[in-house]
Amino acid sequence: MPPRDFGRGPVTSFAMVPRGLVDTSYQYILINTLGEKKNVGLVQLNKPKALNALCTDLILEMDAAIAKFEKDDKIGAIIITGNEKAFAAGADIKEMLNQTYSEVMKGSLFGEWKRISHCSKPVIAAVNGYALGGGCEMAMMCDIIYAGDKARFGQPEIIIGTIPGAGGTQRLTRAVGKSKAMEMCLTGDQVTAKEAERMGLVSKVFPASQLMSEVIKLAEKISSYSPLIVTLCKEAVNTALETTLQDGLQLEKCLAYATFATDDRKEGVTAFVEKRAPNFKNS
């Protein structure tokens, strides 16, 4: 089947991404809703000739798409992906080439990259091909990473005389530990999907052709639960990375108590006792 033309030239064929009714109002991304109940949002990076290099305009479009899905009550989880060659092979080097220190300070380089990590809904990275530099950092901003077996991860900024600036030294260290993070950041070496899974960077690895179906299955499962309770659970897990154990335990307890003030907690328990599927109302 030939690549489809969405008005901006050919789009790299990516059989693992269901097309459906694709919103073509963006220049550098494609968005869609997936799943049997159309409760999963998809953001697909779409700069195939540049291996999805992360220019500022692409990031701004992605931020807008995520914000749109976050406000949509029908969407329970969001997937970010690329194509079979690259999730994203890094920041747009041509865009950065002649930038000066004062320009990046005034322009807040990487400042627009916060939307993914600040999203209240679960965000899942589906990584095929290269996830390097900013691409690896973007994947790590997501809540869960699933990878195809040909995926490769790395922070190669040191090779071009700079360092990661969107979380590469921080999130990577928290995910895989100091020694491995230091090795990846100081050498620029890439790791395979299987290595990334062993290191704890990736949750699961699948054959590339099965990746999207497995990610959609995961997103649909999460979307079947109470959005309100999912948000509380996500907040509790994220807090574990940013605070002491005792403070984290205290927050977890408070959030668990808070679920007892929700209709969805009562519905979930009632459905379990009555041996039926729950009907969550996000309240």
Side-chain angles (χ1 to χ4, degrees), residues 40-58:
V40 175
L42 172 72
V43 179
Q44 184 182 0
L45 310 187
N46 187 41
K47 288 179 66 178
K49 291 183 180 179
L51 296 178
N52 294 329
L54 301 171
C55 63
T56 299
D57 287 343
L58 184 153

Side-chain angles (χ1 to χ4, degrees), residues 39 68-76 121 223 227 282:
N39 55 2
K68 179 179 179 178
F69 284 137
E70 189 172 18
K71 293 175 183 176
D72 188 341
D73 290 339
K74 298 188 295 293
I75 299 298
K121 296 179 179 180
S223 297
N282 196 25

